[in-house]
Amino acid sequence: MKKFLFVASHEFLSTVATRGFIIGSLVTPALMALLMFGLPRLMGQRQLHIAGEVAVIDPTGAVASALQDIADPVKIEERRQQRAQRSAQGAYGAAGSGVASGPGFDAAITAMTGISAMTGPIPRIRFIKRTDDLVRAKSWLVQPAPRVRHMAIVVVRPGTAAAASGVDAASGVNTAGGVDAASGVDAAPVYDLYVPANLDAREEAVIRGMLRDAVVTVRARAHGLALDQLDALSQVQAGRSITVARDGTERPSVPLLNALLPLGLIMLMFLGTLGSGQMLLTTMVEEKSSRIIEVLLAAVSPLELLAGKILGQLGAAMVGMGLYLLVAFAGLSTFALFGLVDPALLLYLFLMFVISFLVFGSVMVAIGAAVEDIRDAQSLGMPFTFGLGAVVALTIGISLNPNSALSTTLSFTPILNTFAIMARLASTSPPPFWQVWLSIAVGIATVIAAIWFAAKIFRIGLLMHGRPPNFATLVRWAVSS
Amino acid sequence: MAERVEELADRAPRKTAERAASGPPAILLHGVTKTFGETQAVGDLNLEVPRGRLYGLIGPNGAGKTTAIRMIMSILQPDCGSVSVLGHRSALDAKDRIGYLPEERGLYRKMRVGTFLEYMGRLKGVTASILPERVGHRLEQLGLEQYLSKRCEELSKGTQQKIQFLAAVMHDPDLLILDEPFSGLDPVSTLQLRKLINIEHDRGATIVFSTHVMAHAEELCDHVVMIHRGRKVLDDSIADIRSRYDPRTIHLQPFRADADAAPLRQLLEVEDIVRNDAELQIRLAAGTDPAAALARIASAIPCSRIELARPTLEEIFVRTVSGAAAGRPR
């Protein structure tokens, strides 16, 4: 066996067979699963228990009465149940055609409707009508209230709440002032809200939601309607969306998947490249600082050592990525969405990952060989790490506008091109073939340049000790050697 | 443990002399020069190490020994001059026949001793199937078999150094290059390592080791090369050096500690006398026959001990370097 293969196998095993790698490889997918499935529940449990009093100054009294009715906990619970049932029925209706079928899909729908129904603890807000002036109400708001919180003061502007009742529903003619002639809806603010400094934004949102329902109720009554009727009228269940594949097969469309796929693949590449690149950097610095490097150089040439290290880490990275992909596929299979991923994408993913790893890994190993302190290594490698991070941050933009000038330019920019072209490939509007292969050619040229650079630095840097070089020195080494 | 090494050393066949002249030199340097920035680490170095010999590369710290060794190992490339190792233009072509213990030693701290030695053996081309047995045998040679499954970081510094030596000889190299092999070792470990070096030498390996402790070279080598400021100042066998640098000092211990040294000063053979506690160090005049001087001094003053002091390599080095400095044009 060639010696660099011994080095590679040692590098691979010493990475993969470590507790850190095993834990890291298992923990990250576990965290992903937690984020996907556990976070909504965790977030739900952490919702606020809202309780307190809100003073209402309403000259007409209509809004205040509606508020008291809407804030009744029993009625809130009833409304929630009705909305959840409507959502579930609508979702089942869309799924029940046989296009999207299977127990996994049904389970997903059930889970989704369950989540939508679960909107946290029922708020316990008591709306109190006040007839005194605003000044006294404000002092009520800020005075300490140890037993019941004073949450807000609502001042309903005279003539605005029921403004729509002064509008002819058919003509939209303004009879009360401040009404938008086109829509027939009052454009002026209906109320003012005074809150104490420590009111949580979520609490304020709940109060505003109730106010909105109360105003709509008042207006609906003016038109002879009930809020429930309005609710029912405004509900439109979306029809099902079906993706027709080139081979004629039909699958349920999942717009979320289309949006998440580029990001997911780029994150996978990013984590694999960055993680293994950092590992190369660390092991290189360790080997240099522990002085084992000279022993190795007595057994293998610098180029064999370089090739072996990069190859070994590439193997370890592939194992890590493979694990992540398995988790992702398992997730997709659970929701009967596995068939939505184009197998060609996986081929491109492999190719682009290998290119990006070889470029980033070569740079990292060169930096690791040039210094003997991990902090120096990290500061030298930071521009490259930030560069990778920046392109990941741009991924969303690239996948939304895959054919923009920026997306196309990044597709041919060395080091960043693999990420950009991968995001475009996974988008809804993939680039033409010539762009893909031109990007691959740019990638291969970058790999050659990076390995050349790394080999030069490697040979000089391995036995260099003392003051750490800066990037200009590395370039000088590469050019002069 | 020490007994085991000694026993092995006694059993090892002595066949150095027969091999010395056979084949091309193990190492041949011609006009090798290496400069780092404005510092010339090695200048115009010529060196020939015949096969089967045990050479000492001596000189103070910073003399250029390590740089010379790294060039021999092709870890560094010379700026000019040529290098030949075991008949090859580069040590890279004969790596599997060379064992190397660098001055800056290192181990994979987390790796187990057995795994480390097997890995180094594999890198040096030893067949995988025979490696476990060989590792066991080598560890047994040093009485270190109990460390087989220990992690390298768990070993003491001295034991780590012995493991590193074993890694260098795991493949039974034809040429063994040891850079400061005794640095940091306690006297017992130093003795063990010296015996191991002798075992390798007796096995037939050519050995070159560098040291700044010249006593080590004096005790171990059959030939020394002195380097000073990157240049070779001496290249000779120990025997020739000893015969060339005549002993010119006599150590004498008079019967009475306060004995008068005046009678000695009157002797023509005596150039200078230094009293060192109860001992007189008598420096002989140039061209004096030491044996005759010894007899005349012994009869001139009653003494309990008198001996002819041989110059140490260190003294020779100092004399050589100061001679070279004196002869250098200003």
Side-chain angles (χ1 to χ4, degrees):
Chain A
M1 202 196 291
K2 294 279 184 191
K3 283 186 180 177
F4 82 92
L5 291 178
F6 288 130
V7 178
S9 97
H10 165 255
E11 191 72 23
F12 175 77
L13 290 174
S14 62
T15 303
V16 171
T18 58
R19 212 175 299 158
F21 183 86
I22 294 166
I23 293 172
S25 300
L26 295 176
V27 164
T28 310
L31 278 175
M32 284 162 64
L34 185 71
L35 281 173
M36 276 192 288
F37 304 112
L39 200 62
R41 286 181 182 278
L42 287 173
M43 294 297 284
Q45 284 167 359
R46 293 179 71 85
Q47 278 182 344
L48 283 178
H49 288 269
I50 301 172
E53 289 180 346
V54 175
V56 184
I57 301 174
D58 179 10
T60 65
V63 174
S65 298
L67 273 170
Q68 285 173 334
D69 190 43
I70 280 164
D72 183 346
V74 177
K75 292 188 176 171
I76 291 174
E77 179 65 31
E78 281 173 7
R79 281 200 301 278
R80 282 187 178 184
Q81 289 298 333
Q82 285 166 5
R83 282 174 185 165
Q85 278 171 9
R86 275 201 294 269
S87 298
Q89 282 162 5
Y92 274 117
S97 66
V99 172
S101 58
F105 195 80
D106 290 347
I109 294 295
T110 309
M112 281 157 54
T113 52
I115 290 166
S116 72
M118 192 178 67
T119 50
I122 291 172
R124 311 258 170 200
I125 300 175
R126 202 155 69 89
F127 289 92
I128 306 162
K129 293 178 189 172
R130 287 186 75 105
T131 52
D132 50 3
D133 61 12
L134 183 58
V135 176
R136 293 182 65 181
K138 282 179 186 172
S139 66
W140 167 85
L141 180 67
V142 296
Q143 76 183 23
R147 286 193 301 172
V148 183
R149 285 179 67 207
H150 296 169
M151 298 176 74
I153 305 165
V154 176
V155 180
V156 180
R157 294 192 181 184
T160 54
S165 63
V167 176
D168 181 348
S171 65
V173 174
N174 184 359
T175 58
V179 176
D180 181 78
S183 63
V185 174
D186 193 343
V190 175
Y191 60 85
D192 295 309
L193 190 66
Y194 297 88
V195 297
N198 60 350
L199 188 72
D200 190 280
R202 288 169 290 179
E203 291 176 320
E204 185 175 330
V206 168
I207 294 168
R208 284 183 181 279
M210 288 180 168
L211 271 164
R212 180 195 165 280
D213 284 353
V215 172
V216 171
T217 302
V218 170
R219 289 176 179 172
R221 277 182 194 146
H223 287 270
L225 293 166
L227 183 61
D228 289 349
Q229 285 175 295
L230 269 181
D231 239 12
L233 285 172
S234 63
Q235 287 286 332
V236 178
Q237 294 303 332
R240 56 203 168 89
S241 168
I242 301 157
T243 300
V244 182
R246 284 179 189 164
D247 60 3
T249 55
E250 295 184 4
R251 295 166 183 151
S253 298
V254 185
L256 192 65
L257 183 71
N258 286 338
L260 288 181
L261 190 61
L263 189 63
L265 293 178
I266 293 304
M267 280 306 289
L268 206 57
M269 274 180 68
F270 174 73
L271 289 175
T273 307
L274 187 71
S276 299
Q278 290 293 333
M279 185 64 85
L280 263 177
L281 185 81
T282 310
T283 56
M284 200 61 247
V285 171
E286 275 177 6
E287 284 181 1
K288 191 177 169 186
S289 58
S290 74
R291 314 290 185 185
I292 188 75
I293 208 75
E294 200 170 344
V295 179
L296 294 175
L297 287 179
V300 293
S301 70
L303 204 60
E304 284 175 318
L305 188 60
L306 177 75
K309 291 191 80 66
I310 292 177
L311 194 67
Q313 276 302 331
L314 178 63
M318 299 298 278
V319 170
M321 266 187 73
L323 279 174
Y324 293 164
L325 278 175
L326 274 178
V327 171
F329 290 160
L332 288 174
S333 296
T334 306
F335 299 125
L337 300 173
F338 182 65
L340 290 181
V341 181
D342 186 351
L345 262 187
L346 297 180
L347 194 68
Y348 282 124
L349 176 69
F350 172 77
L351 195 59
M352 298 305 171
F353 172 70
V354 170
I355 290 173
S356 63
F357 173 82
L358 288 177
V359 172
F360 191 70
S362 299
V363 173
M364 288 295 113
V365 85
I367 289 171
V371 300
E372 51 191 325
D373 185 287
I374 193 69
R375 284 168 299 186
D376 295 329
Q378 281 168 345
S379 71
L380 263 179
M382 203 171 282
F384 297 93
T385 311
F386 276 158
L388 280 190
V391 90
V392 171
L394 286 171
T395 303
I396 297 173
I398 293 171
S399 59
L400 289 175
N401 296 293
N403 295 311
S404 67
L406 178 68
S407 303
T408 310
T409 307
L410 286 176
S411 301
F412 307 119
T413 306
I415 299 179
L416 309 181
N417 62 319
T418 47
F419 291 89
I421 202 78
M422 196 63 223
R424 293 177 69 196
L425 278 164
S427 73
T428 51
S429 178
F433 261 115
W434 71 267
Q435 287 196 12
V436 177
W437 288 103
L438 182 60
S439 181
I440 290 171
V442 169
I444 291 170
T446 314
V447 167
I448 293 168
I451 290 177
W452 172 85
F453 174 79
K456 297 273 188 181
I457 303 297
F458 200 70
R459 193 177 179 87
I460 296 175
L462 281 178
L463 297 174
M464 282 281 186
H465 296 284
R467 203 178 67 163
N470 54 26
F471 198 73
T473 311
L474 294 186
V475 172
R476 201 172 63 241
W477 286 357
V479 173
S480 64
S481 64
Chain B
M1 188 192 307
E3 291 77 13
R4 196 170 335 193
V5 175
E6 200 154 356
E7 186 188 328
L8 286 162
D10 290 343
R11 270 190 287 163
R14 302 246 167 210
K15 47 188 175 183
T16 311
E18 304 94 85
R19 284 188 311 266
S22 61
I27 297 171
L28 188 61
L29 303 185
H30 181 71
V32 167
T33 299
K34 183 71 185 177
T35 304
F36 296 110
E38 292 177 358
T39 309
Q40 189 179 64
V42 172
D44 194 27
L45 181 63
N46 296 298
L47 177 66
E48 181 176 338
V49 180
R51 292 196 185 211
R53 301 290 294 274
L54 206 164
Y55 263 53
L57 205 55
I58 61 175
N61 292 329
K65 306 183 295 291
T66 297
T67 303
I69 285 177
R70 283 177 174 172
M71 285 191 287
I72 293 170
M73 288 303 299
S74 294
I75 291 170
L76 290 177
Q77 298 303 315
D79 298 333
C80 62
S82 65
V83 177
S84 167
V85 182
L86 295 173
H88 295 275
R89 289 171 63 89
S90 164
L92 294 173
D93 300 329
K95 271 185 187 287
D96 290 354
R97 295 170 60 200
I98 305 171
Y100 176 47
L101 181 70
E103 181 187 16
E104 292 172 339
R105 287 177 267 280
L107 292 166
Y108 285 108
R109 293 186 305 114
K110 300 282 177 195
M111 209 184 259
R112 297 189 190 280
V113 169
T115 314
F116 173 70
L117 291 176
E118 285 188 20
Y119 178 51
M120 296 313 295
R122 288 293 279 152
L123 286 180
K124 286 292 192 179
V126 182
T127 315
S129 57
I130 65 166
L131 259 173
E133 190 190 338
R134 189 175 290 193
V135 167
H137 169 71
R138 285 295 194 180
L139 286 171
E140 204 185 322
Q141 270 188 313
L142 279 174
L144 300 175
E145 58 270 34
Q146 72 272 27
Y147 295 114
L148 180 72
S149 304
K150 292 257 185 198
R151 289 187 192 280
C152 292
E153 64 186 354
E154 296 171 37
L155 309 181
S156 69
K157 193 185 170 194
T159 310
Q160 285 186 359
Q161 208 154 323
K162 288 176 206 164
I163 297 297
Q164 285 153 349
F165 179 84
L166 290 186
V169 298
M170 195 50 62
H171 55 300
D172 291 340
D174 293 334
L175 171 63
L176 183 56
I177 297 176
L178 311 168
D179 197 357
E180 299 279 1
F182 303 109
S183 71
L185 285 184
D186 61 63
V188 176
S189 298
T190 301
L191 194 65
Q192 271 190 312
L193 197 57
R194 274 176 52 186
K195 285 175 177 168
L196 275 176
I197 291 171
N198 275 327
I199 290 171
E200 288 301 308
H201 185 219
D202 291 339
R203 182 177 58 75
T206 308
I207 296 173
V208 175
F209 79 90
S210 78
T211 181
H212 67 280
V213 182
M214 300 191 193
H216 288 148
E218 203 167 359
E219 290 161 8
L220 204 56
C221 299
D222 50 33
H223 196 109
V224 292
V225 175
M226 280 184 185
I227 295 184
H228 180 59
R229 292 180 181 163
R231 294 190 173 269
K232 187 170 77 175
V233 292
L234 184 71
D235 182 355
D236 228 332
S237 70
I238 292 284
D240 285 349
I241 290 170
R242 280 184 178 151
S243 65
R244 182 145 26 104
Y245 290 87
D246 289 336
R248 289 178 59 204
T249 305
I250 287 173
H251 291 184
L252 181 143
Q253 196 160 6
F255 268 123
R256 287 175 47 207
D258 58 347
D260 186 7
L264 296 178
R265 294 186 194 282
Q266 290 168 4
L267 296 175
L268 288 174
E269 295 87 344
V270 174
E271 185 182 278
D272 189 24
I273 298 173
V274 176
R275 186 179 285 276
N276 190 1
D277 291 335
E279 186 182 87
L280 298 175
Q281 290 177 2
I282 305 161
R283 183 146 185 85
L284 301 180
T288 304
D289 175 9
L294 201 65
R296 286 176 63 83
I297 290 169
S299 61
I301 184 166
C303 58
S304 59
R305 182 175 66 85
I306 183 165
E307 68 180 13
L308 196 56
R310 289 185 178 280
T312 62
L313 271 180
E314 201 159 342
E315 287 167 334
I316 292 170
F317 176 78
V318 171
R319 228 183 285 176
T320 307
V321 169
S322 53
R328 198 178 297 150
R330 291 169 188 253

